[in-house]
Amino acid sequence: MAFINSIFTWIMKKRIHQIELFMKYPHEVQDEWFQSLISAAEATEWGKKYGYSSILTPETYKERVPIQDYNSLKPYIDRMIKGEQNILWPSDVKWFAKSSGTTADRSKFIPVSEEALEDCHFQGGKDMLTVYCHNRPDTKILTGKGVVLGGSSQINSFNSDSYYGDLSSILIRNLPFWAEFHRTPDVETTLNPNFEEKIENVAQITIHENVTNLSGVPTWNVVLAKRILEITGKDNLLEVWPNLEFYSHGGVSFKPYREQFKKLIPSDTMYYLENYNASEGYFALQDQSDSEDLLLMLDYGIYYEFLPMENLFEEHPKTLALHEVELGKNYALIISTNAGLWRYMLGDTVKFVSLHPYRIQITGRTKQYINTFGEEVIVDNADDALNEACKETGASIRDYTAGPVYFREGEAGAHEWIIEFEEQPDDFDKFCKVLDTTLRAVNSDYDAKRFNDLALRFPIIHRAPDGTFYRWMKSRGKLGGQNKVPRLANERTYIDDILKLLR
């Protein structure tokens, strides 16, 4: 173990120096990756179509190549799935990450090249560990094992040459031996497609291990933690795993889950690190122990563009390069990657909180918002309002969703919320008032529409019984993995569906 620690310490110091370099020279690093990606794809079918061999600048690239989404790339991806190569990316692409999505039930299959696996996803995982060990030099994380609550689907075959599964399934199947040595339980248990059976088996196996770290989406880690406490009869996870010191999380905002984790892991020294990892790439991680801001990782084979949200619905919207972004503005993320996603609109929105170096916060999804009445409420607004309401009333939230109530004759519209509490507020009326007041404080458009109840009246808020969202997600076949409860919607499909369960 001492030898492994020595090797890792050497690698970590070398990598920290590289991270410091791209923090110091961000524009140069992005320019190099732009040239590298364009050059690599010159001879692909896509590269020939758009004349990549004569693209020398990002400006020419933007003029020639329209912004893409999954639907526009799907015909190319479908051919790759059937085994055709050199379509979007020059190296053989055999892996496809099945993306769950939150705003559509149709599955998306995101190409994952060997370069994307090694230089993006795995590099992100190694950097996460590097940053943690750098910030916590007395860590004993490598003396035990990590529990990664993997995807809900196993690896499946399209044909003899291509395979698909949740991103976590693909990553776990391709982990290097040293990482597998430090992980529990075994691969087959971790990737059991039956989520409820998997939770039971993972709990039964891991309670006997020396677990030092956890990874996964908070929603599903809470489910696992509660089952472990039921089996063991313990009050918290530290009584089961006394050496637990680190939790890396992502996929959803951690704000609604923070209080739950404080109770599950009652330790002032527990280290929480958020990572921004999706099927399409690993984009950012929380590099500072005293800040929740995410460092944008610039040397993972991804070239970034940023589309101001006010220009989102223009026919030919102008995107900004990294050096053009401003603090505090919401941008839709546009990426070009070493897996052949070209000017791909990811669907996430971010804002910059630092430009030296470039640090971001995830503010929501381009399709998850409520703007029925011109209020432009985004997920970040909702999380802030709920967080404040919880603080004021001693509550904590397990899950929530919200949508519009449309105008009726003689009556203003409203927002309708369904909230499942982990800890009930000591004063529900106060909770509702603080939520509304905070939304008005953080969003001037919402505040204007709420003035004298002209366009928006006071929100309608339902308290959902325990297990409501779990049952709803199960009914949709979306338990576990990267599946997430949609927080906001600009129509009533999700709200009406869940309300049926409450009747």
Side-chain angles (χ1 to χ4, degrees), residues 406-427:
Y406 303 124
F407 285 128
R408 296 173 185 166
E409 189 174 342
E411 189 174 53
H415 289 179
E416 189 164 13
W417 298 69
I418 300 174
I419 301 174
E420 185 177 336
F421 289 97
E422 181 71 21
E423 292 288 335
Q424 293 289 335
D426 52 35
D427 185 333

Side-chain angles (χ1 to χ4, degrees), residues 194-325:
N194 184 323
F195 179 74
E196 292 175 316
E197 186 178 280
K198 174 167 67 178
I199 286 291
E200 183 65 26
N201 292 339
V202 171
Q204 294 286 356
I205 292 170
T206 59
I207 58 176
H208 304 294
E209 297 277 8
N210 175 28
V211 173
T212 59
N213 61 100
L214 302 172
S215 300
V217 178
T219 314
W220 309 122
N221 281 103
V222 167
V223 174
L224 174 63
K226 289 185 174 180
R227 182 58 189 141
I228 286 172
L229 298 184
E230 286 174 1
I231 293 170
T232 60
K234 304 296 186 182
D235 292 328
N236 62 70
L237 288 181
L238 294 178
E239 294 180 2
V240 182
W241 300 320
N243 297 318
L244 184 63
E245 61 175 75
F246 177 61
Y247 175 44
S248 66
H249 58 89
V252 297
S253 170
F254 196 56
K255 291 176 187 175
Y257 299 95
R258 193 175 307 282
E259 293 305 313
Q260 290 184 65
F261 274 86
K262 284 182 180 178
K263 292 180 180 178
L264 289 169
I265 311 169
S267 168
D268 293 335
T269 60
M270 184 68 186
Y271 195 109
Y272 297 92
L273 188 152
E274 181 176 0
N275 64 87
Y276 182 10
N277 192 17
S279 300
E280 296 84 356
Y282 198 120
F283 308 117
L285 59 83
Q286 187 178 343
D287 67 312
Q288 302 172 107
S289 57
D290 59 350
S291 171
E292 296 178 9
D293 302 335
L294 305 179
L295 178 68
L296 191 63
M297 306 304 284
L298 302 176
D299 63 349
Y300 285 1
I302 298 172
Y303 177 73
Y304 293 100
E305 299 173 57
F306 304 90
L307 174 57
M309 284 299 289
E310 60 264 28
N311 306 128
L312 183 64
F313 299 108
E314 294 178 1
E315 187 174 356
H316 300 291
K318 181 182 184 297
T319 61
L320 305 179
L322 190 63
H323 69 273
E324 298 175 298
V325 299

